[in-house]
Amino acid sequence: AKVRAELVRELAQHETGADSAILAILSWDGTRVVVERRNGRAALPRATAEPGEALWKAAIRVATSHGIDAEIAGWAGAERADSSGISAFALRAADLSPRSTVLVPIPCDQVELSDPDDLAALQRARDILRSSVVPQAPASSGNAHPATE
């Protein structure tokens, strides 16, 4: 409950009124990222919030809909979340084996992203995971999301 309260407070500080966000879904150690192909190029997936849905919940929903049991690791958007800044979340997952063929996990050092917002979100997400104190991935426990329960 304490973690959820802290996450809600942190994300509320970054409330932009935006209804979509970039998702940097990384392996637990931050060495692999999930990408999708858009117009023949690699891109980070996007989440769009349904009416009344919090953007961070949409991020979890999108990851889960592709079979990735992920949790929010932090805010990977622009430092100042306003109408000119990007909305992005860093997510981490113990298993990057999507059920769909839309998303593909690849090593971070081999990804070629052409969108500067994707590049910035990926870099911030990797920084978040590097500074994380979580030493290893938890054992898979179904759809539990400790940061959102």
Side-chain angles (χ1 to χ4, degrees):
K2 181 180 178 185
V3 171
R4 184 172 81 190
E6 289 174 7
L7 178 64
V8 169
R9 184 173 45 251
E10 177 182 337
L11 296 178
Q13 293 172 354
H14 296 291
E15 186 57 47
T16 65
D19 62 354
S20 67
I22 296 169
L23 306 181
I25 306 171
L26 295 140
S27 58
W28 205 261
D29 62 3
T31 61
R32 294 169 50 85
V33 63
V34 174
V35 298
E36 64 182 353
R37 293 283 174 197
R38 230 184 277 137
N39 300 324
R41 297 176 184 246
L44 296 182
R46 302 305 200 254
T48 301
E50 302 292 333
E53 180 183 34
L55 194 50
W56 66 270
K57 287 184 179 183
I60 294 293
R61 176 179 45 79
V62 167
T64 302
S65 73
H66 289 285
I68 300 172
D69 186 23
E71 70 178 33
I72 301 279
W75 175 257
E79 284 298 317
R80 180 173 164 80
D82 58 21
S83 60
S84 64
I86 62 167
S87 295
F89 293 101
L91 289 89
R92 63 178 164 215
D95 180 15
L96 286 186
S97 300
R99 280 182 306 197
S100 74
T101 57
V102 175
L103 301 181
V104 180
I106 62 173
C108 288
D109 59 357
Q110 294 177 13
V111 67
E112 293 182 19
L113 299 170
S114 58
D115 184 326
D117 290 340
D118 283 4
L119 288 167
L122 178 58
Q123 183 57 51
R124 287 186 190 107
R126 291 189 78 193
D127 290 346
I128 289 166
L129 266 59
R130 275 194 282 269
S131 67
S132 174
V133 295
V134 180
Q136 62 186 11
S140 181
S141 59
N143 272 340
H145 301 288
T148 60
E149 289 183 346

